[in-house]
Amino acid sequence: MKLFITQMTISCSGDSFLAERILIVDDDIHVRELIDIGLSPMGYEVLQLDSAVDLIQQVKNTLPDVILLDFQMPEKDGLTALRELRAKGIVIPVIVLTGTADQNTAVQFFRSGATDFVPKPFDNDYLVIVAQRVIAHHSRNLIEKITEMIPYMTHLESCNWEQGKCTCKLGEVSLNALQMASEAMLNP
């Protein structure tokens, strides 16, 4: 499996982190516009997609920091789209929006890699708080994993190399750290 990690631009404001981009995937223009009205004034770049059919390509082109994904859409439902994202190794946090708020549906989404679940109708302030929390958590995880890799990156210049391998075994440790980072991002 290939791992696709977002290129995240993070700005610090006190203890919070604000992502640049949120992708809304919902077939209802009114829902997308309502969410946009709540998020844009907070400094987020809000992108909209009216179908999940081209979601993977859109994600690769725009590199959103979080995806707000509707469950019930024509052509391709949100659960199928989420499973396709995860099958491609795309680990961007996904918040599911749905009018079908039963526990079985939520369990299916969480087992498929959803980060959070917001039932419709929702209060826009609540959705903004959930999005901020998910982004902050994901950002902290990425920063922690990158911080763990710094010793290895600075080590590369000073290590003894034999036959293309680091003799101090730090290379193996870094691969383990990278694997742990990948697992942490797959299960935010």
Side-chain angles (χ1 to χ4, degrees):
M1 173 170 55
K2 291 183 180 177
L3 182 65
F4 181 81
I5 303 173
T6 64
Q7 178 183 352
M8 191 178 290
T9 305
I10 301 171
S11 61
C12 294
S13 173
D15 290 332
S16 65
F17 296 97
L18 298 178
E20 294 259 349
R21 243 177 237 130
I22 296 177
L23 176 60
I24 305 166
V25 185
D26 197 309
D27 58 315
D28 186 337
I29 182 72
H30 301 294
V31 170
R32 292 194 318 266
E33 291 298 323
L34 176 68
I35 296 170
D36 193 337
I37 289 169
L39 292 171
S40 291
M42 311 242 357
Y44 295 104
E45 178 184 350
V46 178
L47 308 170
Q48 298 184 24
L49 196 58
D50 63 0
S51 166
V53 172
D54 296 321
L55 178 58
I56 290 174
Q57 191 58 47
Q58 183 73 14
V59 165
K60 288 181 178 180
N61 290 342
T62 62
L63 299 173
D65 296 299
V66 69
I67 299 169
L68 304 178
L69 180 63
D70 185 28
F71 173 33
Q72 297 176 333
M73 293 183 285
E75 299 180 63
K76 185 185 290 187
D77 66 76
L79 185 58
T80 301
L82 176 62
R83 288 177 176 158
E84 288 175 358
L85 286 169
R86 297 307 186 236
K88 295 278 187 190
I90 299 172
V91 296
I92 297 167
V94 174
I95 300 169
V96 176
L97 311 172
T98 182
T100 309
D102 65 86
Q103 288 182 342
N104 183 42
T105 303
V107 167
Q108 288 180 26
F109 272 102
F110 285 129
R111 285 187 175 156
S112 298
T115 308
D116 214 326
F117 188 87
V118 176
K120 288 180 182 178
F122 53 82
D123 177 77
N124 221 17
D125 290 336
Y126 174 75
L127 182 62
V128 168
I129 290 168
V130 170
Q132 287 174 330
R133 184 184 55 77
V134 165
I135 290 167
H137 177 75
H138 188 69
S139 297
R140 277 191 306 276
N141 282 349
L142 286 174
I143 290 169
E144 286 172 11
K145 298 309 173 189
I146 290 168
T147 302
E148 289 174 13
M149 296 298 294
I150 289 173
Y152 174 69
M153 290 183 266
T154 57
H155 154 266
L156 290 176
E157 295 176 10
S158 61
C159 187
N160 295 324
W161 292 82
E162 291 178 9
Q163 299 177 353
K165 292 186 179 181
C166 174
T167 58
C168 71
K169 305 287 184 191
L170 189 55
E172 291 176 29
V173 172
S174 67
L175 288 177
N176 290 337
L178 183 58
Q179 181 62 35
M180 289 188 322
S182 298
E183 290 170 8
M185 288 183 280
L186 287 171
N187 300 304

